[in-house]
């Protein structure tokens, strides 16, 4: 089935044409209650990534095994208890404690992508930043990590600007008042995707203030994803980064 | 001053280097209360676009005249009364009634950019869609307009999919429940920037529900800008579209 | 007492007349702190369904036993711990893990009803969908289940349209951005009841965005119940489905 | 084109089949910026109803004229100034001041529908109630109006119960604390669609409290539409009322 | 000290005069971190009632012992674990499981008060209703309890109206859509204090919808206290009930 | 009709009995779209007070004339333009500019009531305070007005305490942070009804913060009505003040 | 009366002692509905500043005249129409169009105060900034204005840092995402008072996002006043600036 | 490195000059995932204070050890379990149970500061009050604690006014309706920083009502920090208190 994907990439089959053909095929393989969408990568260029938060370890393990049959697969939001349960079910699954990303198998070859910078202010945002970085790498994009550059210590951010400018796309992770992307937005000329985080307390409202702050940023051209949504930022950045590689 | 911009584009001066030099120069020219930032394009690749909503016709006209000295300039959110006042002040200013964009002079040459599709559901979203389209064109990107493709008449959207796929970047404008970008997100493999609009009534909350809906979309990779923010979507899309042109 | 119910159905007693008579009778039987309303079915056509979330296992068991004296009875929102406690108290109680519905005894004969389709997008909404489906079945309506038809994979939804159209009433369950009912609303000509779910994170606000999205849907004729309220949707759908059966 | 509609109703063409055919046809006729969807009635059983709030008198008049070519047409939310402008453009247009509904031509024959009761509490809700009633009548359903039955004067509501019970479907309109549908929900055995209104002040929050109150109602089986959405309630009620007529 | 209280009641000392005198005295006795305000009853007619939710069992026990030196004392919001701890510390403390009220000693004589009716709809509101009832009794007012009279079963409420009318003041407890006080407000001619409860789910927002509903009630003369605030309702009702007794 | 009212007051007819009888009578007289409820005073002790905000001058004048047939009548929320229109229609109508209350005829005799104190902090709250005071006087209660006693000038409040204590019931009006009722609540031993006002700006949220502040007040026994609801406070206070008069 | 003020400043009378004495005096002079608090400056060091938004020109003029009897007086939030009306009433009143501050007479001598820097990002915040600056100057503090230093053009802010550091207290005005105070907070070692403004649109929520952002700022030591509250910031800053002057 | 700090304080190096130099140095020492900012005190006058809520005991202990190398260090929000873990790791760490502040080593000499009063109403706010007090003391300011002065017992507050007036800066802690700072604001002439607390229930919304109440306070000159943010209030107060000491 995934050969069609390669044909599309090679230009042998037009995407519109391919999409129409696929609709006629039985495409979903049921694994217990979880249904795997093998066609998603064909349609959207991005394979299914398992959202682990509301699934049992059994459901996640089954989904990863099924998805990994044609290359590696990953799942997100795996807390320590679920990580243990996953490894008990499938010892080959590796879970990264900081990003809470579980991986099974090596990712298959994907289209080349330009470099993505993942920038964050402090230790509290690291978990979301790593989720974004590892998902981007899984999708085939090289990643530059720039951490500890909050605006409360501006000189550090300025010192890392040239590193950030080496990437073609920037993901900026920010909680609390989320000032980092605003400052970056005035210094950069490339696509900038911001991720508000739920870090904070009191009036931070679980990230809603950071979200509102990012959407209100006066530096134009910043786009935003949902609170703590490292996966969404990574997928959006990879789509951009693929465009930046001449074909 | 703008020659430096061309040097940077030609690769003669590194952006980081240029930015540092600029900081030492007097860069803002005061026009009454409005200050023009001529360096912005150098730093961010995007010239200043005048946000007309909270400015008087006099302030807008002065800003457009100053900005237009080195190429064309535009202002947004120009309602009919302000449009009349602007034309009385500077007869050369042209105001588009639908998009509410005012323009003075022809835009200067800018870096090549790939095509952007601007997609919206209905007549109520047309104003924001046109703002996005005209700003993108001003910044040098060709635009494909696809309107009247709301999900309540799905066959029309499917009929226009190949047109949409011809663009490298997609801006989707959507009010009320904002289902259009979700549906598109499952059908496309390219960057998709969504603009919630304030169209609606009752629980629509002036666009907050559309915004929340877009940020919650289950199709990953959609990024979002502020409510009715056609300018922001255009700037973000142009940054991406420039990357898609091999240099 | 319930013979009056049959008289009303047979047309021997007018509902208004019956309601007036009932008011004079002692109608509530107290079981500890829980009071059972045996007349409710007479007045509203729907028997009492025990809402289990804020009741102890003892209260639920007592209520089910009392209600089941004249036919089967069900309770909803029974989590695994409560399920164990219920079965320890009354071994005949059966609890369905997915829907969290507990049942005791076989449902009594109820008025004929047309078929109801219960449609949902993904695994996360299955629990609410099953609650709706099982309550509808308990109330005497045949149910068609259509799952895994989220708008992110539109071809699957289109492939199941004829199945959905075979039902006279449709319940659509949707979390996150809740685009499914909007798309369905533009494709169907029958009553469509939407249930927002609390699935999501960040700006999803525990289902409030899905709720707002459904209420703002541009396809007219969609009605909505409270977040996660599978019971309410089922009761509303059954009332409609009974009308669709000629008498 | 609309002959196909009659064929479908006559059972000569299956709806699914018809829908597929239609997708291949050019179906939208552009009238300036407004596009008319002549197929909507075929797909959904409900013709396009013009939402007048954000349209100019010229757009509304053009849309009504186009839609009325194959039967009557209506538009909603026509304030007095727009009503005058409409009548100046098309003298045949009639605007009802209370409901703010504009009509052109006599409605075409539509499928038979059972009676709908439109119930409201007070003078403040009358406008929304009449919008619902007149849209329902336009769609072919007989309507019983029951007004001035707020729960603050309970005896009046009880005195009208038999009138309400004569209808097969009930629309209940309620602002402020919106207690009326809750009380009705405990007295009726038929489908009950509730419309919150924006009547109120202070903490009423433009109808959000009434909306929340209706969604939280403890009488199961009440479904809800957006604030002030008389059209949506009417469309939903007509879909149900058509089912109640044996074919 | 409390003799002054009796003097005031006997009219020997004017309240204003007494209050001024008291301000000069050392009035707070420190018990660990908890400070007891023995003068409060003199100033406000109501003794200190210990709010147990954020205090340890040790703090509550010490406060009750100190307050009980001149008559009985009570504490509220005592969950089962705290109840056990309290009884271990002071075996004479009695905790009522339903109302979560802890009591030590018999209440002292207080001014006569008229009867208060405490009315609620269902089992879920019983806990708040009992808190209100027991606090009112502690303060010296006779209480009539009327439960299970929700508006979804209107005949039951009507059947109990004469009981309710026998009281001079009415406290109505209501969660979810909180329709009960609205209905009562149209049937009674006496002071009506409403308590919204946090019972509900989804859009009920932990009682905020019930609160908004009560404040928006169209029956004038209903006053409202904070969500679940049985104590506040009881204190307010007792102040009224004391007025109703001729002196 | 109103003789029954006097019979009830004289104890010749029991209220419950009277209420049942009334339900059988035709009780509403329609005046155009406005329906007058002549029985309300019998059931609730309070006559209908016309809420003028959403009614035309014609509707208000007609309602006042009808209600005034058996004594005086009042309407609230009459802005200057409506006041002029009212006087043009019925020259006998008097409108008070500060309270925005319109009155026609002298109020009929009503049951005796104790004195009510209406207390407010500043000039901004005077309008709501006067509405409360005049409605209370219309309902037969003597009123003491205490203004300009905000907590920012505490000595003034303390200087007026004895005046306030001369009343049996207190209405406290407060906008912004609404601290006045909290301070009063700790100084008084009588029923205290608080009215939040919409005075303020920024985070005051049109009175929502004042409302929340009042409901959270730590002085127990304060009850609250909707924002700016002077009528509601007056009705509630009068019900209490009537109890305080021995019969 | 104001001689007491000078005595207090000279140390002849202790503030506590003075405050107690004052409470016994008649202190408020009534000017129509507006009451002037001549003692406020004695108690709090700050004279009454007239909040013009909800007052008529007549009330404002009378208050200014009364307050100006012992030195100058100012009023805020004077829009152009009110400014014209004020000048017609009292030609000596001067109104500044940008800050909307009206002044009558020269301010009296006040305690010395250190310099205050008023910093803002753009033209939209200038009005609030000028209100803060002019109130501070009226209260006797020298002011340094630093405008056009938004974080979207960081080099400009850095270029003005030494100017800002010359002041002892800093007021930072910021709308939209309000990043400026966060950046400043990491660069300065002096008291920093932030004023959120209502500038913005869409999700900016009339300044609530800016407010939340400032309260969530990770640079500790920033304090915040209400949205657009230039007066409050000025008063707070002056209190600090007076402390910074050795006495 | 910290010698530069002393040079700056001694006036040998200008702060602006120093800040520029520092930017060139490697300044962050990485301790596992936690990075210590040794320069912060130089730039802002305030050393890093470890926010313990989202850090492990290991991270906190490492940070305290590193920070304490040049004087004492503190961490906040240390719950009992974390306190035990900290002491197991570094026995020299002392944790105060009430304030939840952990301290290691004696604070280094810091600039002299005037006295700060920390004022709160009741036992529930004591934890936040103590956090503020201990942080202020750690930063070198003497602190006067005034507790149990809620406005519900006004005489106690008035009795402590002279104590409060002995301090140059006041921190007022208040939950629920947060009336205390409003009352204080009308009685004091010095800087007043208010801290809303999350104490309360129901509509208190975890401190949002207290926050809004404080920001809306009519006594001008009150500034506010985030909910429960004792550290922020202390830092702001210390900055002010240092200014009040002549140098």
């Amino acid at each position: 089935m995934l050969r069609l994907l390669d044909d599309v990439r090679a230009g042998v089959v037009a995407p519109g044409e391919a999409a129409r053909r696929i609709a006629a095929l039985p495409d979903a393989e049921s694994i217990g209650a979880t249904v795997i969408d093998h066609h998603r990568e064909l349609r959207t260029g991005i394979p299914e990534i398992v959202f682990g938060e509301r699934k049992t370890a059994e459901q996640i393990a089954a989904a990863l095994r099924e998805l990994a049959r044609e290359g590696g697969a990953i799942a997100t939001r795996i807390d320590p208890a679920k990580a243990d349960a996953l490894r008990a079910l499938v010892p080959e699954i590796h879970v990264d404690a900081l990003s809470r990303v579980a991986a099974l198998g090596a990712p298959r070859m994907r289209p080349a992508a330009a470099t993505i910078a993942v920038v964050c202010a402090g230790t509290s945002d690291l978990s979301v930043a790593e989720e974004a970085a590892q998902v981007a790498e899984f999708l085939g994009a090289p990643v530059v990590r720039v951490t500890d550059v909050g605006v409360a210590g501006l000189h550090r951010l300025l010192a890392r600007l040239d590193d950030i400018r080496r990437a073609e796309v920037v993901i900026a992770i920010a909680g609390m008042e989320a000032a980092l992307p605003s400052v970056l937005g005035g210094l950069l000329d490339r696509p900038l995707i911001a991720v508000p985080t739920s870090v904070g307390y009191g009036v931070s409202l679980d990230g809603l203030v950071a979200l509102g702050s990012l959407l209100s940023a006066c530096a134009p051209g910043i786009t935003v994803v949902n609170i703590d949504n490292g996966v969404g930022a990574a997928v959006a950045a990879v789509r951009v980064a693929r465009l930046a590689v001449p074909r």
Side-chain angles (χ1 to χ4, degrees), chain A:
Chain A
M1 183 79 259
L2 279 174
R3 241 185 305 158
L4 182 57
L5 180 58
D6 297 319
D7 286 356
V8 173
R9 275 189 198 127
V12 181
V13 179
E17 169 55 28
R20 251 174 267 121
R21 266 199 244 160
I22 293 164
L25 296 173
D27 66 331
E29 298 184 56
S30 174
I31 314 158
T34 311
V35 179
I36 298 301
D37 182 357
H38 282 301
H39 299 172
R40 185 174 296 182
E41 187 155 11
L42 252 167
R43 287 193 321 274
T44 70
I46 306 291
E48 183 160 346
I49 293 166
V50 181
F51 184 69
E53 200 164 291
R54 290 167 182 264
K55 300 203 178 71
T56 62
E58 285 71 23
Q59 290 174 315
I60 297 166
L64 285 178
R65 251 196 307 231
E66 174 61 28
L67 284 163
R69 286 194 321 194
E70 311 195 43
I74 57 176
T76 61
R77 307 269 174 123
I78 308 299
D79 62 38
K82 236 174 234 180
D84 290 345
L86 274 183
R87 279 183 298 244
L89 290 165
V90 183
E92 293 77 24
I93 291 178
H94 172 262
V95 182
D96 179 74
L98 179 56
S99 66
R100 299 179 299 158
V101 171
L104 179 60
R108 65 194 304 274
M109 269 298 291
R110 291 202 161 83
T115 300
I116 296 170
V118 175
V119 184
C120 76
T123 56
S124 325
D125 302 322
L126 272 178
S127 174
V128 175
E130 266 308 297
E131 183 187 283
Q134 293 181 18
V135 170
E137 288 171 338
F138 171 74
L139 295 173
V143 170
V144 170
R145 285 157 174 88
V146 178
T147 58
D148 198 38
V149 291
V151 299
L154 202 60
H155 53 291
R156 295 192 210 159
L157 174 59
L158 298 178
R160 301 296 303 275
L161 262 187
D162 286 344
D163 290 343
I164 297 172
R165 284 191 177 116
R166 242 167 254 135
E168 297 288 344
V169 197
V170 178
I171 296 173
I173 322 281
M176 303 175 88
E177 84 275 46
L180 174 60
S182 279
V183 171
L184 274 179
L187 296 168
L188 298 177
D189 63 353
R190 47 216 45 174
L192 175 55
I193 297 161
V195 191
T197 66
S198 55
V199 170
Y201 65 93
V203 81
S204 299
L205 296 174
D206 298 323
L208 286 177
V209 160
L211 172 64
S213 181
L214 291 170
L215 288 163
S216 303
C218 50
I222 300 174
T223 60
V224 181
V225 297
N226 200 354
I227 297 163
D228 292 336
N229 188 3
V231 170
V235 169
V238 166
R239 287 185 177 188
V240 173
R242 286 180 183 169
L243 283 181
V245 176
R247 254 149 260 257

